[in-house]
Amino acid sequence: MKRIYLLLVLFFSVSLGSKPIQDKDIYSSVVNWTDLLVSSSVKETIPKIVFDEEDPEFSGKNTATSQGKAHSLARKNAKEKLKVRLSQRLESIFFNADYTVYEYTQVNPQVRLRLNSYIGSEKEEYDFQFVKNVLEAKASLPLKGKEGILSHIPVEYGTESVPEFSEELVPVEFSGLVVDARHLKLKKALYPKIQTDRGLDIYSPLYVKEAYAIETGYIVYKEDQLGKGVEAKVGKNPYFVLALGTAGKNQTDLVIPTDEAAKFLSHPESRKNLTRCRVLILVSQ
């Protein structure tokens, strides 16, 4: 009995301590799909301090006349690099099954204007650490929330009703939906869709309320269904379903069995919870 207890403690410790699902690019800029955050980091050499006017390097490139000015210049250079990297990383994210964020801005000029305005509004949070002659700098942008990226990308929300099935089922209320896609080569996106094996969409931006999509994130990806934030996203009694496969040009959408979708959507409160973005996708690291 004691051994079983220890194994359970170990299991839950591993689950609770599981790392967030992240994607990195060649510059190590990161999209954290669990906490819904985009971040990047750089190392900037602190300018050499030259205060003697007779020194040939005085007022030269990458020099400063005091430590304060040297640190200020390093922070400025790091900020410029981080802004570029964050912008590049953001634009490379899959928007949905058809576009990356950059591609979406090309077909929708309004999105381009809103995104440029957001990037220029300095919403980044910075962390600066001076280590010897190097500045280690990190910047991050939230995806969700009032100050997040999702609130600044125009999306058509909530124009259709969640599908209802005519099958005779005993309605069961579920607090959310958890789709297990850990066995699939799924690509992550800001707005993936979930559909049945008969081609019917059961989850898309057209079904959800804008306030929930912005505040909690339209979708969250995790490695397992335990740990911090899961209950807040999908409630205490979510419905679990194993995905059959991926769909869409970018392979970001998921396909689930029609009979499983019918069970979940049999209760009006379950359908309402879809409109509240109570959806979690399990993926492998």
Side-chain angles (χ1 to χ4, degrees):
M1 189 70 182
K2 188 174 182 180
R3 183 182 178 187
I4 293 175
Y5 174 77
L6 289 173
L7 286 173
L8 285 172
V9 170
L10 178 61
F11 172 79
F12 282 105
S13 297
V14 172
S15 297
L16 291 171
S18 59
K19 294 180 180 179
I21 297 297
Q22 298 182 337
D23 285 339
K24 291 184 180 182
D25 65 10
I26 58 173
Y27 300 108
S28 294
S29 297
V30 175
V31 180
N32 182 328
W33 291 103
T34 301
D35 301 321
L36 298 178
L37 199 70
V38 181
S39 62
S40 189
S41 58
V42 296
K43 290 184 178 181
E44 183 72 22
T45 301
I46 299 172
K48 183 179 178 181
I49 299 173
V50 181
F51 55 85
D52 185 355
E53 294 183 4
E54 302 298 324
D55 193 310
E57 293 186 88
F58 183 79
S59 295
K61 188 177 180 180
N62 295 322
T63 66
T65 56
S66 68
Q67 185 183 61
K69 290 181 178 179
H71 285 187
S72 177
L73 185 57
R75 282 192 292 265
K76 178 184 176 183
N77 292 339
K79 276 188 173 184
E80 291 175 353
K81 292 177 181 178
L82 287 169
K83 278 181 174 290
V84 171
R85 290 192 180 183
L86 285 175
S87 179
Q88 291 174 334
R89 188 67 189 96
L90 174 59
E91 291 188 339
S92 70
I93 295 173
F94 282 120
F95 178 77
N96 58 20
D98 297 314
Y99 305 106
T100 62
V101 170
Y102 173 75
E103 291 167 344
Y104 190 60
T105 65
Q106 299 305 293
V107 299
N108 191 326
Q110 184 186 6
V111 177
R112 178 77 272 169
L113 291 173
R114 291 280 298 274
L115 207 54
N116 285 344
S117 174
Y118 176 77
I119 292 171
S121 62
E122 298 190 353
K123 302 289 186 183
E124 303 91 350
E125 288 190 7
Y126 291 98
D127 178 64
F128 298 113
Q129 300 290 332
F130 290 95
V131 182
K132 294 184 179 180
N133 66 330
V134 173
L135 168 64
E136 297 179 355
K138 182 179 181 179
S140 60
L141 282 170
L143 285 173
K144 65 180 180 179
K146 185 174 66 174
E147 301 298 326
I149 294 164
L150 295 183
S151 67
H152 292 77
I153 298 180
V155 175
E156 190 175 14
Y157 290 109
T159 59
E160 298 181 17
S161 299
V162 177
E164 297 182 35
F165 284 76
S166 58
E167 284 88 343
E168 294 184 3
L169 296 166
V170 177
V172 178
E173 180 182 345
F174 294 100
S175 59
L177 179 64
V178 178
V179 183
D180 192 343
R182 287 174 289 192
H183 57 296
L184 300 173
K185 292 183 179 180
L186 178 71
K187 294 181 180 177
K188 296 170 282 294
L190 296 177
Y191 294 99
K193 292 193 295 185
I194 300 172
Q195 60 185 226
T196 70
D197 51 10
R198 297 179 187 172
L200 175 68
D201 290 342
I202 68 159
Y203 188 64
S204 87
L206 299 179
Y207 300 147
V208 308
K209 296 177 181 178
E210 181 177 4
Y212 284 95
I214 289 173
E215 186 61 31
T216 68
Y218 170 81
I219 203 75
V220 165
Y221 297 89
K222 275 184 65 68
E223 190 175 18
D224 56 56
Q225 67 272 27
L226 300 171
K228 183 181 177 182
V230 173
E231 187 176 315
K233 185 62 176 172
V234 293
K236 295 181 178 180
N237 181 40
Y239 188 79
F240 291 85
V241 60
L242 186 68
L244 295 174
T246 60
K249 185 182 74 174
N250 293 328
Q251 299 297 297
T252 61
D253 296 347
L254 286 169
V255 180
I256 66 173
T258 298
D259 59 342
E260 297 278 12
K263 290 176 186 176
F264 175 75
L265 297 173
S266 65
H267 197 287
E269 284 301 314
S270 299
R271 296 194 294 273
K272 187 181 291 186
N273 283 328
L274 277 190
T275 71
R276 297 167 175 161
C277 301
R278 288 178 166 257
V279 180
L280 176 69
I281 297 177
L282 303 180
V283 294
S284 298
Q285 284 282 14

